[in-house]
Amino acid sequence: MNLNVSPNLFNPLPRSKEVENPEIDKSEFVMEWKNILYMLAHDMKNPVTSAGGFLSRLFSGKYGSFTERQLDYLELIKDNLGKLDRLVKHLLDFLRFESKEYRLVLNPLNILTILSKNIEILKTEADKKNIKINFDEPENIDSVINADAVMMSRVITNLLENAVKYTNQGGTITVKFSDIDNDLLVQITDTGIGISENHLPHIFDAFYRVAEDLGGSGLGLFIVKSIIEAHGGRIWAESIPGNGSSFSFTLPKEIKSNIPTKSLRAGHSI
């Protein structure tokens, strides 16, 4: 198991202090440490956003032209800045979910519509690898439930991006949407590299990354699982190494959120 994170991330109290002061409430130190991490991540977010804005101005061409080599360098900067932005957002969301203070914004949402829109968006990336995305929209299914549109879009985007990322050239991704008793079921299956048996039980753990996966924060699937469970649903994965993976999640038609909600609230900050 490769966590790629210090085992003392949320236990910053030195062991010597625990021995000297056995009555110290470690929960206070853990909370203080999480607050420090939140402030650091939040402070990192502002300069990343500002740098992205300045890059957009340069790409607009209003400040002069660039050579092909200079444009290549700017593209590299943009790509890496995007990676940093995603890492910061993942860390912020992780800390919010860990604090149990995250607020869902529940409103009527057509899951089928948001699923179709995200598939169309991801087709551009899939086309670059000649990957075919199969999705036959079902008929006669009431796909409107109370859910957080931003968070559900994030779930679907994350799962589709992973499918594209880990599927080889010329592969296939199949998306299914169905109605099962009191739940709606979404399944995303790919013909990619698959996940080995020893990694499969841990892929939804925070900071977990398989040895072959050197990129990312290790928080994407943890956040996806947190969002689904916050809506009262369930998510799981099945895989055969070398033949692909299948990620499935259910959402209850009558959602009773596991996390406090604020209806009609703009934004998702705590």
Side-chain angles (χ1 to χ4, degrees):
M1 180 172 176
N2 179 18
L3 291 177
N4 288 317
V5 66
S6 169
N8 293 319
L9 178 63
F10 293 132
N11 183 24
L13 186 63
R15 187 168 181 81
S16 60
K17 294 295 183 182
E18 293 183 50
V19 175
E20 294 173 9
N21 304 282
E23 296 182 1
I24 287 180
D25 185 359
K26 290 200 291 184
S27 64
E28 293 183 9
F29 286 89
V30 172
M31 182 57 68
E32 182 179 352
W33 189 238
K34 287 182 179 179
N35 287 337
I36 291 173
L37 285 176
Y38 180 83
M39 287 187 289
L40 285 173
H42 193 272
D43 287 344
M44 289 171 62
K45 183 179 178 181
N46 293 331
V48 169
T49 301
S50 297
F54 284 116
L55 268 180
S56 296
R57 293 183 185 181
L58 291 175
F59 277 114
S60 70
K62 294 180 180 180
Y63 301 93
S65 59
F66 296 96
T67 66
E68 186 175 341
R69 187 172 186 180
Q70 288 172 329
L71 286 173
D72 287 341
Y73 286 148
L74 286 175
E75 284 290 348
L76 287 174
I77 294 172
K78 181 182 177 182
D79 289 344
N80 282 281
L81 196 61
K83 292 178 183 178
L84 179 58
D85 183 52
R86 287 191 292 273
L87 288 172
V88 171
K89 287 179 179 177
H90 281 180
L91 181 56
L92 284 170
D93 284 341
F94 165 71
L95 293 169
R96 288 166 180 160
F97 278 114
E98 278 286 296
S99 70
K100 306 298 181 183
E101 295 179 7
Y102 207 93
R103 298 292 186 267
L104 292 178
V105 182
L106 297 185
N107 287 298
L109 177 68
N110 191 318
I111 297 296
L112 183 56
T113 298
I114 202 168
L115 185 61
S116 300
K117 286 182 178 179
N118 278 279
I119 288 173
E120 286 301 316
I121 292 172
L122 263 294
K123 277 186 176 179
T124 301
E125 289 301 313
D127 288 343
K128 293 178 181 178
K129 297 176 66 177
N130 195 27
I131 294 172
K132 183 179 181 181
I133 301 181
N134 295 321
F135 178 54
D136 294 325
E137 293 193 22
E139 298 179 357
N140 303 320
I141 292 182
D142 184 1
S143 57
V144 177
I145 60 174
N146 279 323
D148 187 312
V150 173
M151 291 294 100
M152 288 311 307
S153 179
R154 183 163 183 178
V155 167
I156 294 167
T157 298
N158 182 283
L159 295 178
L160 286 172
E161 285 181 344
N162 283 348
V164 172
K165 179 179 179 180
Y166 296 110
T167 297
N168 295 325
Q169 292 275 349
T172 302
I173 296 171
T174 302
V175 181
K176 294 182 179 180
F177 180 80
S178 55
D179 183 328
I180 301 179
D181 298 325
N182 297 319
D183 296 326
L184 297 177
L185 172 65
V186 176
Q187 295 174 295
I188 299 175
T189 304
D190 62 61
T191 58
I193 61 176
I195 305 167
S196 61
E197 186 178 352
N198 60 312
H199 289 304
L200 198 58
H202 309 292
I203 58 173
F204 293 106
D205 295 347
F207 297 106
Y208 188 85
R209 294 188 296 181
V210 297
E212 310 92 81
D213 183 9
L214 301 179
S217 62
L219 288 172
L221 288 177
F222 168 83
I223 292 172
V224 163
K225 181 173 183 284
S226 297
I227 293 171
I228 293 299
E229 291 182 346
H231 284 81
R234 189 169 68 92
I235 186 169
W236 66 95
E238 301 167 286
S239 184
I240 300 176
N243 290 332
S245 304
S246 179
F247 284 80
S248 306
F249 67 85
T250 60
L251 291 170
K253 297 172 185 175
E254 297 292 333
I255 287 183
K256 295 178 181 178
S257 172
N258 293 333
I259 290 182
T261 62
K262 289 191 177 182
S263 298
L264 302 178
R265 174 183 172 183
H268 295 74
S269 60
I270 61 174

